[in-house]
Amino acid sequence: MDIDISESDLAFEEEVLRNSFKLKGWLRYLDHKRDAPVRTVSVIYERALRSLPGSYKLWHMYLGHRTGQLRGKNPLQFSDEVRKTELCSERALLLLHKMPELWLKYIRFMRVQADVTRTRRVCDRALRALPVTQHARVWRMYLRFAEHVGGHTAHHVYARYLRAWPEESERLVDYCESHEEWNAMTLALVKVLDNTGFRSSRGTTEYGLWVRLAHVLRVHARDLQGWDVERVMRDGIGRFADQAGALWAALGEWHAGQGDVERARDVYEEAVTSVRTVRDFALVFDAYAEFEQATVAAELEHDVERGRTGVRTALRLVQLERLLERRAFLASDVELREITHSV
C-alpha cells in the first residue's frame, strides 16, 4: 500500500508518524489529499484505521469514500470494487456493530447490488445487533426494500414487522392495495378486525376498517377466492347496528354485481326495514333507488334491442314507483326506531 509522497505531504506524514493515535492529524492529512487519486486516499484511510481501528468517524468517512466511488456504476462491471467495499463494511461492523448509521449505510449499499438474499440477511443482522430503540430506523429501510422486491419476500418481511409493530397493520393493507393483491388485502383486513386489541397508529376506527373491507369485497369480488362475502359483511352489520348503512349498501351492490338481482332486492328490503338511524336509511334508500333505476334502464335497453316493450320492464317500473311512494312511510318507521319513546 505504498504511495508517492510529495514535499507538501511531508509535514502531514511527520505529524501522523509522530502522533499516529491522534485523530486530528489523520483528518488534516485526509483533507489535504481530498483531490488525490482514489487509491492514494484509500491507502491513507487504511493506515489511519490500523492506528485507530475503533474510530467511528474514520470508518464512516472511509465507507462514504468507497461507496461514493461506486455510485452510478454497474455492480457487475465493478464486482471487485464492490466486494472490497462489502469487506470494508464487514470490518467496520465487526468493531462497531452497535452503530446504526454504519448498518444503514451498508444496507443502502447492498440494495444497489440487487442481491435480494444478501441484502435481506444484512437487514436481519442489523435487527439482531442493534438495540430495540434503533429498530424503527432499520425497518423503514427494510420495508422499502421489501416493497421494491415484492412477492413472497415482501409478505414475509411484513409478517415479521407486524409481530413487533401490530399497530402498523394498515401499511400492509396499503401495500396489497397498491399492488392489486386483493386476496392478501382482504386477509390482512380480516386479521386486523379479528384482533380486538388492535389500535391503529393512524387513528382509523374499527368501523372505518369495516367500510374499507366492504369496499374491497364489493368492487373486487371477482378477484377474490374462498371468501364468504355475505357472511363477512353481515358480521360487520351485526357489530355496527347503529352505523350499518354503508355495509348494507355494499352488500346489496355486491349481489347486484354478481347478477343476482332478486337477492340484491331482498337485501335492500331487509336493510330499509332494519336500519336504526335516519342517516343510514337515507344512504340505503338512495342505493336501493339507484339499483331499481339501473334495472329499469337495463330492461329498457333490452326492449330497444328486441323492438318491443316487455312485461318485465313494466314490472320493474311498478316496483320503482312503489319504492318511491313508500319512502315517507319507511322514513317514519326509522324515526320511531331511532327515538324509541316517540309516539
Side-chain angles (χ1 to χ4, degrees), residues 39-231:
R39 180 181 175 278
T40 299
V41 177
S42 297
V43 168
I44 296 173
Y45 272 116
E46 289 287 350
R47 289 173 58 195
L49 288 167
R50 276 205 305 269
S51 298
L52 299 166
S55 172
Y56 168 78
K57 189 177 184 71
L58 276 176
W59 277 116
H60 191 271
M61 292 173 61
Y62 187 26
L63 294 175
H65 165 72
R66 295 203 70 103
T67 55
Q69 299 304 317
L70 293 170
R71 191 172 294 116
K73 295 181 179 179
N74 189 325
L76 297 178
Q77 294 179 349
F78 295 87
S79 57
D80 291 341
E81 289 300 317
V82 167
R83 184 58 183 160
K84 289 177 182 178
T85 303
E86 289 180 23
L87 291 174
C88 283
S89 297
E90 293 289 347
R91 287 165 53 202
L93 292 168
L94 188 65
L95 298 166
L96 302 168
H97 60 281
K98 296 298 183 183
M99 296 296 179
E101 193 58 42
L102 295 183
W103 281 110
L104 296 178
K105 188 182 287 291
Y106 193 12
I107 294 170
R108 279 192 290 266
F109 176 72
M110 291 302 297
R111 284 181 60 188
V112 179
Q113 314 315 313
D115 190 327
V116 174
T117 300
R118 292 173 65 192
T119 304
R120 179 173 54 79
R121 287 174 179 170
V122 171
C123 292
D124 292 341
R125 287 170 55 200
L127 291 170
R128 288 195 297 268
L130 293 172
V132 176
T133 53
Q134 298 292 337
H135 282 193
R137 301 178 65 188
V138 177
W139 275 118
R140 278 195 294 271
M141 194 171 293
Y142 200 175
L143 290 175
R144 285 198 297 270
F145 159 73
E147 289 171 357
H148 177 73
V149 174
H152 292 295
T153 298
H155 287 283
H156 175 74
V157 171
Y158 263 110
R160 288 185 57 199
Y161 174 66
L162 295 179
R163 282 198 292 269
W165 311 87
E167 65 275 11
E168 296 291 340
S169 295
E170 288 172 272
R171 181 162 181 168
L172 173 59
V173 175
D174 292 341
Y175 166 77
C176 294
E177 184 176 27
S178 64
H179 288 75
E180 299 183 354
E181 297 180 9
W182 308 119
N183 263 311
M185 180 181 177
T186 303
L187 180 60
L189 282 167
V190 169
K191 285 183 177 179
V192 170
L193 291 168
D194 282 343
N195 180 6
T196 55
F198 176 74
R199 294 293 181 273
S200 171
S201 62
R202 304 177 184 179
T204 308
T205 63
E206 185 181 1
Y207 176 72
L209 293 170
W210 269 106
V211 170
R212 190 171 185 183
L213 175 60
H215 174 78
V216 177
L217 293 172
R218 174 176 59 83
V219 176
H220 303 289
R222 298 185 186 279
D223 300 314
L224 299 175
Q225 298 175 350
W227 290 99
D228 188 340
V229 175
E230 180 157 4
R231 182 179 177 184

Side-chain angles (χ1 to χ4, degrees), residues 252-275:
E253 290 175 20
W254 176 74
H255 280 295
Q258 299 297 303
D260 194 344
V261 175
E262 295 303 324
R263 182 59 184 147
R265 183 175 290 108
D266 291 342
V267 168
Y268 283 124
E269 280 293 332
E270 183 181 357
V272 295
T273 57
S274 62
V275 290

Side-chain angles (χ1 to χ4, degrees), residues 15-27 47-55 58:
E15 182 180 5
V16 297
L17 289 173
R18 186 169 57 251
N19 298 300
S20 60
F21 300 109
K22 288 189 175 181
L23 179 61
K24 289 185 178 180
W26 289 109
L27 295 179
R47 289 173 58 195
L49 288 167
R50 276 205 305 269
S51 298
L52 299 166
S55 172
L58 276 176

